[in-house]
Amino acid sequence: MKIESILNKSRISAGIGILFFLIILSWYIWGQKEVNPAVMLKPDEMQEDFQFLIDRILARHPDPARNMTKEVWDKRIDEIKNELDSEKSAADFYFILQEFIAEMEDAHTGLVMLDDRKRLPLLLDWTEEGWTVLESGYGVEKGDLIVSLGGMEVEEIVKDLGGFIFGGEPLLEKVSSKFSN
């Protein structure tokens, strides 16, 4: 009787162990979502979207080329169309378009990337001290000063982003003067 009881308990334990293993294996195989998948866009999709952007700008903006000549405007459009001749990630496409928008030097014209995986989940403000956190969370407190992100110094980040953000150059000058003092 004792031997049968021990064997039954062993079988039940083994069955529970196998069931647990199968549940974990199933979750691993079918339940995981791919982390940050790169959405790739075909050249014809990007060309169509870029043309849509140009058409929208021309239909709504009183003078999109006011901070550049018409020749420079047309040349940049042709350069971008040529750049969109091969498959690119959605993020790369966004940054190509954002750089073009920033060249317009118009604070009222911009793009919003709806992929929240590419956003820093912090509200920051540029103060005399530098990038300052506006709300506590994500391991930082309101008022904390950001000195680097992902191993990059603030000056390097602002320099890299300067071409994508209208007004990036004046900000870069502020950062450079802050670090040179």
Side-chain angles (χ1 to χ4, degrees):
M1 195 81 150
K2 276 185 159 182
I3 295 177
E4 287 179 9
S5 176
I6 292 172
L7 286 175
N8 286 338
K9 286 181 183 178
S10 295
R11 287 181 189 139
I12 291 172
S13 295
I16 291 172
I18 291 172
L19 181 62
F20 182 76
F21 174 77
L22 290 174
I23 291 171
I24 297 298
L25 182 63
S26 298
W27 172 81
Y28 182 77
I29 293 172
W30 294 288
Q32 282 188 335
K33 292 183 179 178
E34 188 176 342
V35 177
N36 200 9
V39 176
M40 299 303 289
L41 301 173
K42 294 181 176 20
D44 58 331
E45 295 171 315
M46 293 183 293
Q47 294 287 352
E48 183 179 337
D49 288 349
F50 181 55
Q51 189 58 54
F52 175 80
L53 175 66
I54 296 300
D55 292 345
R56 289 289 285 213
I57 290 172
L58 292 173
R60 295 175 184 265
H61 199 290
D63 186 9
R66 73 172 176 235
N67 292 314
M68 60 181 93
T69 65
K70 173 79 167 111
E71 292 77 27
V72 171
W73 168 267
D74 291 338
K75 181 181 177 200
R76 282 299 291 137
I77 289 173
D78 290 339
E79 289 171 354
I80 292 169
K81 285 181 178 180
N82 289 332
E83 192 173 352
L84 302 177
D85 66 350
S86 62
E87 193 174 74
K88 298 195 181 326
S89 72
D92 289 341
F93 180 54
Y94 167 81
F95 285 113
I96 290 168
L97 298 184
Q98 183 56 45
E99 185 174 20
F100 173 71
I101 295 294
E103 290 170 6
M104 289 175 56
E105 297 182 12
D106 179 16
H108 300 101
T109 305
L111 296 175
V112 176
M113 187 168 186
L114 297 177
D115 180 4
D116 60 356
R117 291 172 294 181
K118 297 289 183 186
R119 295 179 188 217
L120 185 64
L122 296 174
L123 289 177
L124 304 174
D125 187 23
W126 185 260
T127 64
E128 287 185 25
E129 293 80 27
W131 273 344
T132 306
V133 177
L134 294 177
E135 291 181 2
S136 298
Y138 302 98
V140 295
E141 298 297 323
K142 181 177 180 176
D144 283 353
L145 188 64
I146 303 295
V147 294
S148 69
L149 291 171
M152 290 178 69
E153 300 290 325
V154 171
E155 185 175 15
E156 186 180 357
I157 294 167
V158 172
K159 184 177 180 183
D160 285 353
L161 294 177
F164 299 102
I165 302 167
F166 171 65
E169 291 301 318
L171 180 60
L172 179 59
E173 290 172 15
K174 285 183 184 177
V175 172
S176 294
S177 66
K178 169 136 184 74
F179 285 98
S180 63
N181 292 337

